[in-house]
Amino acid sequence: RAEDLERGRAKLRMRRPHATTAFANRLALGELRLRLTDAILKAPAWLQPGEGVIALIETGNSDKARAWAEANLRPERFHGSGALYDATLTDDHRLTEERVSLAVNAGALYTVATLASLTDDRFLAEQSQKLAEAFELSFGTSTSELFGSGTADFSADTSGVIRPGAGAPSLYNRRSVTSWNALAVSAFCRTATLSAENPWPDRARSILDAILKRRVKGSRVRRTEVASSVLQFEDAAHTIRACLDLADLTGETSYKSRASELADRMLKDMLLEEGAVSHLIGADGHYGSGAGVFAQCLVRMAKLNGTYLKDAERLCRLAIAHDAERPSRLGAVVRALVMLEAKGTDLE
């Protein structure tokens, strides 16, 4: 059924592209942000993208943080290791599959820790610590500084259901995904701000250093360590944000320099023109889309390059046009729009 829905959306986009995408280039930033924010508010809490909820809090909807947490951190969602299940839910929120993945847990930790820092909510801070402590048991490996990808079903198992045991070896560890590890870095940086003494800055640094050493070749970020690994937009975007987050946390400016270097390479590799990067812009899944996260990074680095703000705005508009049928899943783009509004920029 999901494939049928996606096929139907694709047909609609081909039949009426101007009706669904023209607003992305026509409306001012504030109007775009309000339209997307409204779509996120209308979605049930358990379907709201984490980045979108953060954007809601940053724009004054402080009551949404606890609602999102209560919907997504229900006791039945936790595995014995302390990690969150990556699962499809029935209408009454029961699990239909039991598996854990680094993507879901890194995204959840980033969201919860950010919400905790924005709201000073003790419950959210406690949940952040619990999720962070579960990472080593659920995703740690004995052969790498990087995390494995968990027991998400990337194997050839035909059962469709994989039931993980605590500390079970990953089925996908050998191809641990760069963007998921980079998001874990950002999540640990957020968690580190919630208490005075904790191991998260050092753990974040070890993961990021491994990414920069083993996954970056010629300022291009690879998805895995395989030589033929395909370059994907989200891997570079999340790695750049991880560099900025660690630099902000520790004051180590070398990471900010690496972020700028990687960003410049990305901008050279991509053409910010209508349709040119459509295959690189996905809507938010369990964590922010590459387009939204990269746009956020460009705004944060605006002082380093005067063209970054215009590049960020153009990328946001492209992402909105590409996913006009699913505005509630553009949470990372909404956060970027909030940041752009604060800078007071609008392209002619």
Side-chain angles (χ1 to χ4, degrees), residues 17-282:
H18 299 294
T20 58
T21 64
F23 78 93
N25 294 316
R26 186 181 70 250
L27 297 181
L29 291 177
E31 294 176 292
L32 282 175
R33 196 258 303 166
L34 288 173
R35 178 178 288 208
L36 297 180
T37 297
D38 184 60
I40 294 171
L41 285 169
K42 289 179 179 178
W46 61 283
L47 284 178
Q48 291 173 339
E51 291 268 352
V53 176
I54 295 172
L56 293 178
I57 305 306
E58 291 174 334
T59 53
N61 295 278
S62 59
D63 60 317
K64 302 301 178 183
R66 180 61 74 92
W68 184 91
E70 291 177 348
N72 289 277
L73 304 180
R74 301 160 66 91
E76 60 269 26
R77 289 294 304 272
F78 286 91
H79 177 253
S81 65
L84 280 171
Y85 280 121
D86 174 13
T88 302
L89 301 179
T90 61
D91 290 339
D92 58 352
H93 309 294
R94 288 183 296 105
L95 294 170
T96 59
E97 296 182 19
E98 296 179 351
R99 59 194 185 190
V100 295
S101 76
L102 179 60
V104 169
N105 282 270
L109 178 57
Y110 179 83
T111 300
V112 176
T114 303
L115 294 178
S117 66
L118 291 172
T119 62
D120 293 324
D121 188 307
R122 178 175 295 182
F123 168 77
L124 294 176
E126 292 173 351
Q127 292 298 314
S128 299
Q129 294 294 335
K130 291 178 180 178
L131 280 172
E133 291 166 1
F135 269 66
E136 293 296 341
L137 179 59
S138 300
F139 309 109
T141 68
S142 59
T143 58
S144 173
E145 301 95 334
L146 300 178
F147 287 125
S149 296
T151 52
D153 187 10
F154 294 105
S155 71
D157 190 327
T158 58
S159 68
V161 178
I162 294 179
R163 302 186 180 280
S170 172
L171 297 173
Y172 202 47
N173 274 340
R174 288 179 297 175
R175 297 182 62 206
S176 180
V177 178
T178 298
S179 61
W180 299 1
N181 275 277
L183 181 56
V185 172
S186 292
F188 286 154
C189 289
R190 293 289 186 176
T191 305
T193 65
L194 302 177
S195 58
E197 296 183 7
N198 54 66
W200 311 126
D202 290 338
R203 190 65 180 102
R205 185 184 294 103
S206 69
I207 299 170
L208 183 55
D209 286 346
I211 290 174
L212 295 175
K213 179 181 179 180
R214 293 158 49 183
R215 301 290 176 89
V216 178
K217 304 294 181 183
S219 296
R220 292 185 174 95
V221 183
R222 299 187 180 278
R223 193 161 186 79
T224 70
E225 292 178 31
V226 179
S228 59
S229 176
V230 177
L231 299 174
Q232 295 201 26
F233 197 70
E234 65 182 25
D235 295 303
H238 281 277
T239 299
I240 292 168
R241 184 165 73 175
C243 287
L244 293 176
D245 288 341
L246 189 58
D248 288 345
L249 178 68
T250 65
E252 297 174 70
T253 58
S254 59
Y255 290 110
K256 188 167 292 187
S257 298
R258 289 303 301 272
S260 179
E261 175 188 321
L262 296 176
D264 288 340
R265 179 75 263 177
M266 279 188 73
L267 290 171
K268 288 180 180 179
D269 286 346
M270 58 185 274
L271 295 174
L272 291 181
E273 299 173 357
E274 189 65 41
V277 291
S278 61
H279 64 292
L280 299 173
I281 299 176

Side-chain angles (χ1 to χ4, degrees), residues 296-312:
Q296 293 172 28
C297 293
L298 291 174
V299 178
R300 290 171 65 179
M301 295 188 294
K303 290 184 178 180
L304 301 178
N305 188 321
T307 67
Y308 280 169
L309 289 178
K310 290 187 176 182
D311 290 330

